[in-house]
Amino acid sequence: MSSVDVQKPVSGVRSALGFMALFRIEMLLALRKRADITNPLLFFVTVLALLPLGVGPEPELLAKMAPGMIWVMALLANMLSQESLFRGDFEDGTLEQLTLLPQPLYFAILAKSLVHWIATGLPLALLSPLLALMLNLPVDGYLCLLVSLLLGTASLSLIGAIGAALTVALRRPGLLLALIVMPLYVPVLIFGTGAVQAAIDGYAYSTQLAFLAALLATAAALAPLAAAGAIRISLDN
Amino acid sequence: MNWQWFHRLGSPRWFYQKTGAWLPWLALASVVLLSVGSVWGLGFVYEHGQQGNSYRIIYIHVPAALLALAGYYVMAISGAIGLIWRMKLSFAVMRAAASIGAVLSFICLVTGSLWGKPTWGTYWEWEARMTSMLILLFLYIGVIALSHAASREQSADKASALLALVGTVNIPIIYWSVNWWNSLHQRATLRVIEESRIDPVMFYPLLIMIIGFYCMYAWTLLTHTRTLLLKREMRTKWAQDELLGGR
Amino acid sequence: MSVTPKSQVVLQVTDLTCIRDGRRLFEGLRFSLHAGAAIQVKGSNGAGKTTLLRTLIGSSSEFSGDILWCGDPYPKGLPAMRDSLLYIGHRGGVRSGLTPLENLTWYGANQEAALSALESVDLTGFEDSLCHSLSAGQNRRVALARLFLPNSPRFWILDEPLTALDVAGVAALEEQMAAHLRNGGSILLTSHQPLSLPGLDALNLSDYTVFESFSDFGGEHVLS
């Protein structure tokens, strides 16, 4: 709706304007609720710091486990932060208002997912070299870890939005959300760790990164559509 | 175009009364086919050269695997029909297919691991097909859990149908990525009988078992759907008549 | 009938039946809403007031019957309806992480108009507090402030707009609604409280309730 309903431009322009307006608002909200950004990060760091306490501090063992553990924890951190993606908007009625806008819900969800990625996936990826250092990951894997996490967490944010939308009307969605979303995360996990492993072993890893990019493109095209349908269903609960 | 038949198909009452007559035939077919297939397969086919008698579990494992996967599409397609044409009936089919499919994939996993013990020396091997089947089971569990979560049954129906559809987009990607992952971690394992190496003598009873499983699947799906329909339509007169033995 | 814009039918409902959880809430509902007219939907709790509103805004498709917006039946008429709709539901659509001023700006107001709208709902001094620090009543009034913005959409659907307001607030809202009707707008609202508005029609859902007991309900509805 924002400032565009007065002059009524063509729908494509209106969608783009609506997307930008919503993106700005969501960024503002994310910056105001910093706990939503810092908590998943702290979770990510804390659990990974516990890993050596659990399996022992042998550098070789840690190096072997590092790619998988970093990726699994990224998955968990992402999933835990998904629960609040639509919750506030659902409770205060914003979600209902968004469904009444002339522009498709697709763009609203795309904007929210993008902000979710900027708030969780991006800082997590940027922090990953530090954790890789602590877990004794071979230096060859650093760049690949960073790039694969950047690509992969964006897909996770989009796919997770479907789960968040399906469970937004439920009172305690936590575990159900995990149950729904985790199997859908499998391909991202496989190619993410596969890329890092290949990099460590000294092979080319561009294929895996290309697969991650392809997954991201597919998710960006389809996941917001599914989430939009899910939101309309949840609102009718 | 005359859509009358289509809407009649969506009527729970019509479905209930029509399918009642099919049940005995399906039951008979599945009992006969499954008995013939298992006696033939388990008792009369000769031993496999490398695997001895343990390979005979394919007569349960393979049909269960086929139907667990096919069942996911049955579930997703009926969910989609429900979403598009708002048919109560197809949501009931979807729910029935979800629980039957979950059981079938569980059977597939159990028989697979029983087979794994003599073949690989371990009950669980992270082999591509078993791993994919495990993820398929998780997908089923997600749909079932969601279908019981929402306070309104209608919303739960639609939500789980949507999740099932999301799953169908994902299944090929998951299967393909798990295969790729498995090829990275390939270890010296004994390959299961390759399709080309299946002897016709072994294959015919397997075919009978597969057809028998399909009949049994249809039978349980119909029975389960009919029960769900009765429960949902409890308030209507026809359901009460059926339950009280027809007045 | 003269075809002045004032008497133009904007929303026409014929033979509307809403079903929720396999239960018919009401049946055979018919009414038409003209430009410059208002309808108050009445009925006891659970009579289906909110369901009716949600059906009219196109968020619930579990209905049979016809809904026409300016002559176009749903769902074809839906986009045009939403273009001229201002809906304030049970949940007001006020973002708790934003200030009242930012909320109104998000709904398309400029700074000046937003400030004067907030003054109309007696929220002066709270423009820059975050909405989650305001009370439920104040949040409700932020939502209602949208009605005081210029260039308002012409069709208002309001779910219990009066609940959080004091006497002066109700009077101000009634005055604003009357002005909206004079400008050719239309209002459809639910309210438990009496409302003084020129040309207000009442629509009592209890008149269309279906009484079905557990045992003698004989019909079978294909539509879910």
Side-chain angles (χ1 to χ4, degrees):
Chain A
M1 208 172 262
S2 73
S3 60
V4 290
D5 52 358
V6 187
Q7 64 260 34
K8 299 235 190 263
V10 284
S11 66
V13 178
R14 197 151 67 167
S15 298
L17 286 175
F19 177 82
M20 283 315 293
L22 194 65
F23 177 74
R24 271 202 306 273
I25 286 278
E26 290 293 333
M27 277 309 289
L28 181 68
L29 285 169
L31 288 173
R32 279 191 188 155
K33 275 171 65 181
R34 279 184 213 97
D36 281 3
I37 302 181
T38 50
N39 286 352
L41 268 184
L42 288 174
F43 168 85
F44 181 65
V45 176
T46 317
V47 179
L48 281 175
L50 288 181
L51 176 71
L53 302 180
V55 302
E58 292 85 15
E60 297 79 29
L61 183 64
L62 286 179
K64 206 164 164 45
M65 294 183 74
M69 285 312 289
I70 291 176
W71 258 99
V72 168
M73 288 311 143
L75 236 64
L76 286 179
N78 180 281
M79 190 211 71
L80 288 174
S81 60
Q82 289 285 358
E83 198 187 320
S84 57
L85 182 64
F86 296 117
R87 182 140 302 259
D89 283 356
F90 174 75
E91 279 164 2
D92 62 29
T94 309
L95 216 47
E96 192 170 37
Q97 295 289 338
L98 287 175
T99 62
L100 300 176
L101 292 187
Q103 57 261 30
L105 204 47
Y106 176 91
F107 292 103
I109 292 163
L110 202 59
K112 285 187 82 78
S113 298
L114 181 58
V115 172
H116 181 263
W117 175 74
I118 292 174
T120 60
L122 182 63
L124 196 145
L126 294 179
L127 203 67
S128 63
L130 180 68
L131 287 153
L133 184 79
M134 285 168 71
L135 294 180
N136 196 37
L137 186 84
V139 183
D140 296 334
Y142 280 33
L143 180 65
C144 179
L145 179 70
L146 179 69
V147 177
S148 68
L149 276 174
L150 282 176
L151 286 169
T153 50
S155 301
L156 298 183
S157 288
L158 286 159
I159 298 168
I162 303 174
L166 282 170
T167 54
V168 69
L170 306 178
R171 251 171 243 110
R172 303 187 65 192
L175 282 173
L176 182 61
L177 179 63
L179 219 53
I180 290 175
V181 161
M182 278 298 166
L184 305 179
Y185 281 175
V186 166
V188 178
L189 175 68
I190 287 177
F191 287 113
T193 46
V196 182
Q197 197 59 54
I200 295 170
D201 296 344
Y203 296 115
Y205 52 84
S206 51
T207 320
Q208 288 87 325
L209 291 185
F211 282 141
L212 280 178
L215 286 176
L216 175 58
T218 316
L222 297 180
L225 283 181
I231 280 174
R232 291 185 199 279
I233 292 167
S234 288
L235 280 173
D236 206 16
N237 197 351
Chain B
M1 193 165 169
N2 186 9
W3 284 92
Q4 196 59 41
W5 64 272
F6 193 66
H7 284 288
R8 219 173 41 186
L9 197 67
S11 146
R13 178 190 191 174
W14 183 85
F15 176 86
Y16 191 91
Q17 286 162 352
K18 204 73 189 168
T19 53
W22 304 349
L23 288 180
W25 295 107
L26 281 170
L28 184 71
S30 25
V31 168
V32 168
L33 286 168
L34 290 178
S35 330
V36 170
S38 41
V39 170
W40 188 359
L42 299 183
F44 292 95
V45 179
Y46 57 80
E47 283 183 27
H48 185 264
Q50 286 169 301
Q51 299 192 24
N53 276 320
S54 67
Y55 86 94
R56 294 186 200 274
I57 208 161
I58 58 162
Y59 294 116
I60 296 170
H61 177 76
V62 171
L66 282 177
L67 271 163
L69 188 57
Y72 195 91
Y73 286 89
V74 171
M75 172 179 83
I77 290 168
S78 40
I81 292 173
L83 280 180
I84 297 167
W85 287 287
R86 274 182 235 117
M87 280 205 285
K88 279 186 199 177
L89 169 62
S90 55
F91 284 130
V93 175
M94 176 194 74
R95 279 173 184 255
S99 25
I100 298 171
V103 170
L104 281 169
S105 50
F106 185 70
I107 291 176
C108 174
L109 286 172
V110 170
T111 51
S113 71
L114 287 179
W115 191 10
K117 184 65 181 169
T119 314
W120 294 316
T122 163
Y123 282 114
W124 184 261
E125 175 72 30
W126 289 97
E127 181 257 347
R129 269 176 286 186
M130 291 288 275
T131 312
S132 302
M133 190 50 71
L134 185 67
I135 296 165
L136 186 69
L137 177 63
F138 290 152
L139 285 173
Y140 270 125
I141 290 174
V143 173
I144 295 172
L146 189 63
S147 72
H148 288 99
S151 51
R152 287 187 67 218
E153 206 164 48
Q154 275 82 354
S155 306
D157 279 344
K158 290 182 194 163
S160 33
L162 195 117
L163 180 62
L165 280 176
V166 171
T168 50
V169 177
N170 261 272
I171 284 180
I173 304 178
I174 292 175
Y175 267 66
W176 177 71
S177 59
V178 167
N179 267 326
W180 180 84
W181 163 81
N182 194 59
S183 68
L184 282 187
H185 302 269
Q186 195 70 267
R187 279 185 272 162
T189 53
L190 203 74
R191 284 302 292 170
V192 201
I193 317 169
E194 304 281 345
E195 252 120 289
S196 56
R197 286 189 11 227
I198 287 193
D199 197 313
V201 183
M202 290 174 184
F203 181 69
Y204 291 131
L206 181 61
L207 191 66
I208 291 178
M209 285 301 278
I210 290 173
I211 300 170
F213 259 72
Y214 267 95
C215 290
M216 191 179 69
Y217 181 82
W219 179 32
T220 32
L221 187 68
L222 285 182
T223 317
H224 198 4
T225 308
R226 286 160 55 89
T227 319
L228 284 174
L229 282 179
L230 274 190
K231 201 175 148 201
R232 287 182 163 205
E233 302 282 296
M234 219 158 45
R235 286 154 152 267
T236 61
K237 189 162 177 298
W238 74 263
Q240 289 169 20
D241 286 352
E242 292 291 346
L243 278 173
L244 300 173
R247 272 173 294 182
Chain C
M1 197 165 83
S2 64
V3 203
T4 60
K6 273 242 165 182
S7 68
Q8 185 200 355
V9 176
V10 286
L11 186 75
Q12 189 173 3
V13 169
T14 35
D15 217 12
L16 182 70
T17 301
C18 280
I19 300 159
R20 198 163 165 82
D21 302 329
R23 196 171 69 88
R24 290 175 203 217
L25 294 170
F26 47 80
E27 193 171 49
L29 183 70
R30 57 173 62 236
F31 68 88
S32 40
L33 181 62
H34 295 253
I39 290 180
Q40 179 180 7
V41 182
K42 293 178 176 174
S44 51
N45 281 333
K49 295 191 292 282
T50 300
T51 306
L52 174 63
L53 298 196
R54 290 188 47 77
T55 307
L56 292 179
I57 63 172
S59 292
S60 166
S61 48
E62 292 175 29
F63 68 90
S64 63
D66 289 318
I67 307 173
L68 282 82
W69 173 258
C70 296
D72 283 331
Y74 281 19
K76 187 168 157 265
L78 206 50
M81 192 280 302
R82 283 185 174 161
D83 262 350
S84 35
L85 171 72
L86 194 163
Y87 170 74
I88 298 180
H90 162 66
R91 297 178 166 121
V94 174
R95 280 169 191 261
S96 55
L98 297 182
T99 67
L101 195 57
E102 287 164 341
N103 262 299
L104 290 184
T105 324
W106 158 248
Y107 282 116
N110 60 31
Q111 190 92 356
E112 231 171 289
L115 283 173
S116 96
L118 286 173
E119 195 187 339
S120 313
V121 291
D122 199 20
L123 280 174
T124 313
F126 293 100
E127 298 91 350
D128 294 324
S129 330
L130 288 181
C131 283
H132 60 67
S133 67
L134 302 181
S135 72
Q138 284 169 323
N139 268 302
R140 194 72 194 153
R141 289 193 336 245
V142 178
L144 291 175
R146 287 173 64 195
L147 304 177
F148 292 86
L149 295 174
N151 299 324
S152 167
R154 67 183 170 125
F155 181 32
W156 293 359
I157 294 189
L158 314 171
D159 200 354
E160 295 289 343
L162 302 182
T163 39
L165 298 178
D166 56 9
V167 180
V170 171
L173 186 58
E174 279 173 347
E175 172 46 41
Q176 182 66 14
M177 289 201 271
H180 181 62
L181 296 182
R182 279 196 300 278
N183 289 333
S186 320
I187 306 175
L188 193 119
L189 58 88
T190 65
S191 176
H192 278 104
Q193 286 152 268
L195 195 70
S196 65
L197 204 58
L200 179 71
D201 277 333
L203 176 74
N204 201 336
L205 286 186
S206 317
D207 299 343
Y208 301 89
T209 309
V210 189
F211 293 99
E212 51 188 47
S213 67
F214 184 80
S215 58
D216 68 343
F217 174 51
E220 166 209 353
H221 29 82
V222 177
L223 249 171
S224 58

